[in-house]
């Protein structure tokens, strides 16, 4: 991709997708819409024309947690979420234009529609924004009280918990499901904006450019699933925090399109390195309840990154690698620099060697948009 086109794509994405801390979105929504988003997930985006019908099939849970209860989401959480539909946020969230650099599994890559080296993709990493953060904060408060009542002692407040069948546990799970629905709509709206950004640069329709959704996978969610434990199939509440669902071929909960390949797993690297698409395996189903890694993972804390790294040096490094960047907050460039993270190649290779997922394609970034 030529430098001029890279720059125009980076700018167009930055113009179309609101980024940064507390940014307001361009997707109009009122309080009634928000309740419908929390209840219906991607079905709301479909109804409003932001999603393509096929997008729904390529989302984990078909883009909707049926267990969601918007009445269990606090007013404060709703207030934070109301203006944030279709926004990227800050921190490690990003929208990247990438090219396929290596194909490891030709059949699976072709099935996903990303089987050609040099093919252009867009990867978006974002979640339920301020709404989801507030749902978690609210739950920490109520669970601390529940722990005191039930005599549960922990050494870290961030690990607050409650018994699944307690009122606090039930309330959290239905509120978290609502936040997950918000996240699917948020990413769906950004997909719509990314399609528009490309359409503007190339003066072609997204359909004409074959901008179909490969997959939308959650990176932070708890779900009731059926798994085998010591020879017995049981219902478990599987928490994937900083991990990704990776179901194997022929699993009933993955799309028809991927029944023979296994579920696509999106692994984001850092803005100067590479990302991967993996697929789920049978061994992962047995060993890790159908889960694998979710990214590189931090090697330096945010404050250490700011102290050790120079903003301009990071930008120069990206430029040398042929990567265009647009960022709302300069200090974030050092926080999210490649040196701040573990090597994603090592992480992905470890997951493959452990048998819990397998490599399908490697993607190289050419344009990065961050908060």
């Amino acid at each position: 991709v030529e430098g001029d086109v890279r720059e125009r794509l980076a700018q167009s994405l930055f113009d179309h997708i609101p980024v940064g801390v507390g940014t307001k979105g361009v997707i109009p929504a009122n309080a009634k819409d928000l309740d419908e988003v929390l209840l219906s997930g991607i079905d709301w985006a479909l109804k409003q024309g932001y999603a393509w019908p096929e997008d729904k099939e390529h989302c984990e849970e078909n883009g909707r947690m049926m267990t969601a209860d918007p009445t269990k989401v606090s007013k404060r959480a709703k207030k934070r979420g109301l203006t944030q539909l279709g926004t990227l946020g800050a921190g490690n969230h990003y929208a990247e234009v990438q090219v396929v650099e290596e194909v490891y599994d030709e059949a699976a890559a072709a099935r996903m529609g990303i089987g050609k080296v040099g093919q252009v993709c867009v990867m978006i990493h974002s979640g339920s924004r301020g709404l989801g953060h507030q749902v978690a904060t609210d739950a920490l408060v109520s669970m601390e009280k529940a722990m005191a009542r039930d005599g549960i002692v922990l050494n870290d407040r961030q690990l607050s918990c409650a018994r699944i069948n307690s009122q606090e546990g039930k309330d959290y799970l239905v509120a978290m499901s609502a936040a997950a629905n918000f996240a699917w709509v948020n990413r769906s709206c950004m997909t719509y904006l990314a399609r528009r950004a490309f359409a503007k640069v190339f003066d072609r329709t997204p359909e004409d450019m074959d901008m179909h959704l490969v997959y939308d996978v959650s990176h932070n969610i708890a779900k009731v699933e059926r798994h085998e434990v010591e020879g017995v199939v049981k219902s478990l509440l599987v928490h994937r925090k900083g991990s990704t669902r990776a179901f194997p071929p022929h699993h009933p909960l993955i799309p028809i399109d991927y029944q023979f390949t296994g579920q696509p797993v999106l692994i984001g690297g850092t803005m100067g390195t590479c990302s991967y698409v993996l697929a789920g395996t049978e061994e992962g189903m047995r060993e890790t309840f159908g889960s694998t890694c979710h990214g590189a993972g931090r090697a330096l804390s945010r404050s250490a990154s700011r102290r050790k790294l120079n903003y301009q040096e990071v930008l120069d490094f990206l430029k040398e690698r042929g990567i265009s960047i647009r960022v709302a907050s300069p200090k974030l460039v050092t926080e999210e620099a490649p040196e701040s993270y573990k090597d994603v190649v090592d992480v992905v290779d470890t997951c493959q060697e452990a048998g819990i997922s397998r490599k399908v394609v490697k993607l190289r970034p050419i344009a990065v948009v961050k908060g």
Side-chain angles (χ1 to χ4, degrees):
V1 179
E2 294 297 321
D4 171 52
V5 177
R6 266 202 328 263
E7 282 294 316
R8 282 165 56 211
L9 276 174
Q11 190 59 48
S12 190
L13 276 176
F14 193 68
D15 291 343
H16 280 78
I17 300 174
V19 302
V21 181
T23 336
K24 292 191 173 177
V26 292
I27 304 294
N30 57 32
K32 186 171 172 287
D33 287 323
L34 183 62
D35 276 340
E36 201 177 326
V37 165
L38 297 174
L39 184 67
S40 308
I42 201 170
D43 291 343
W44 181 87
L46 267 169
K47 198 166 85 174
Q48 300 294 324
Y50 297 122
W52 295 354
E54 68 187 61
D55 292 351
K56 180 180 166 72
E57 292 166 37
H58 284 190
C59 286
E60 184 174 336
E61 298 293 332
N62 285 322
R64 179 181 184 181
M65 292 283 279
M66 304 302 280
T67 47
D69 182 354
T71 66
K72 299 298 183 185
V73 176
S74 69
K75 281 182 181 171
R76 178 160 169 71
K78 287 179 181 177
K79 187 180 177 188
R80 289 181 69 178
L82 188 58
T83 58
Q84 292 191 329
L85 272 182
T87 66
L88 191 64
N92 64 353
H93 292 161
Y94 61 76
E96 274 190 4
V97 183
Q98 305 168 334
V99 292
V100 175
E101 189 168 71
E102 264 184 88
V103 176
Y104 306 101
D105 182 331
E106 287 185 7
R111 198 79 194 91
M112 294 175 193
I114 47 173
K116 294 182 189 139
V117 171
Q119 193 171 346
V120 175
C121 308
V122 180
M123 187 181 280
I124 296 171
H125 178 205
S126 187
S128 50
R129 305 287 284 108
L131 181 138
H133 192 277
Q134 191 63 44
V135 166
T137 304
D138 294 341
L140 284 175
V141 174
S142 71
M143 286 184 183
E144 274 188 338
K145 292 172 187 166
M147 284 165 57
R149 181 192 66 215
D150 297 341
I152 301 170
V153 181
L154 294 171
N155 62 357
D156 185 347
R157 180 177 179 269
Q158 292 289 318
L159 297 175
S160 290
C161 59
R163 299 188 187 283
I164 295 169
N165 291 320
S166 67
Q167 194 57 52
E168 293 85 1
K170 289 176 183 170
D171 286 352
Y172 171 66
L173 287 174
V174 296
M176 181 215 66
S177 297
N181 286 344
F182 182 94
W184 276 304
V185 174
N186 187 36
R187 289 190 294 270
S188 184
C189 289
M190 280 187 281
T191 302
Y192 165 77
L193 295 169
R195 285 167 172 157
R196 287 188 58 166
F198 267 68
K200 187 174 181 188
V201 169
F202 295 111
D203 199 22
R204 292 168 67 192
T205 67
E207 291 85 354
D208 191 31
M209 291 183 282
D210 194 24
M211 292 186 75
H212 71 276
L213 179 65
V214 176
Y215 205 59
D216 180 308
V217 69
S218 303
H219 276 185
N220 185 2
I221 200 164
K223 289 196 285 192
V224 176
E225 296 173 355
R226 305 281 287 167
H227 290 276
E228 194 175 301
V229 181
E230 295 173 350
V232 182
V233 176
K234 295 184 175 182
S235 279
L236 305 176
L237 183 64
V238 182
H239 292 257
R240 294 190 181 94
K241 167 72 178 152
S243 73
T244 312
R245 194 183 77 174
F247 279 176
H250 313 301
H251 194 285
L253 290 180
I254 63 174
I256 293 168
D257 289 344
Y258 302 134
Q259 280 294 310
F260 293 109
T261 64
Q263 178 211 306
V265 181
L266 312 179
I267 306 298
T270 55
M271 59 187 176
T273 55
C274 57
S275 297
Y276 288 86
V277 179
L278 315 179
T281 63
E282 279 294 346
E283 192 170 350
M285 206 63 191
R286 290 191 299 272
E287 296 290 328
T288 58
F289 305 110
S291 312
T292 190
C293 65
H294 97 301
R298 290 198 76 88
L300 288 176
S301 70
R302 295 188 185 282
S303 53
S305 297
R306 285 200 298 272
R307 281 197 308 274
K308 288 188 176 183
L309 303 169
N310 176 282
Y311 162 64
Q312 195 55 48
E313 282 173 9
V314 176
L315 286 184
D316 292 344
F317 167 80
L318 294 172
K319 194 174 180 182
E320 280 165 28
R321 305 279 303 256
I323 301 169
S324 302
I325 181 162
R326 297 291 183 279
V327 61
S329 168
K331 73 170 186 184
L332 274 182
V333 172
T334 51
E335 285 182 16
E336 299 302 315
E339 297 91 327
S340 304
Y341 285 85
K342 297 168 195 161
D343 187 340
V344 71
V345 177
D346 291 346
V347 173
V348 166
D349 284 347
T350 302
C351 291
Q352 173 147 309
E353 283 161 29
I356 60 174
S357 48
R358 65 176 207 283
K359 294 193 280 191
V360 177
V361 300
K362 180 182 182 182
L363 302 158
R364 175 175 57 84
I366 58 170
V368 185
V369 170
K370 290 187 79 71

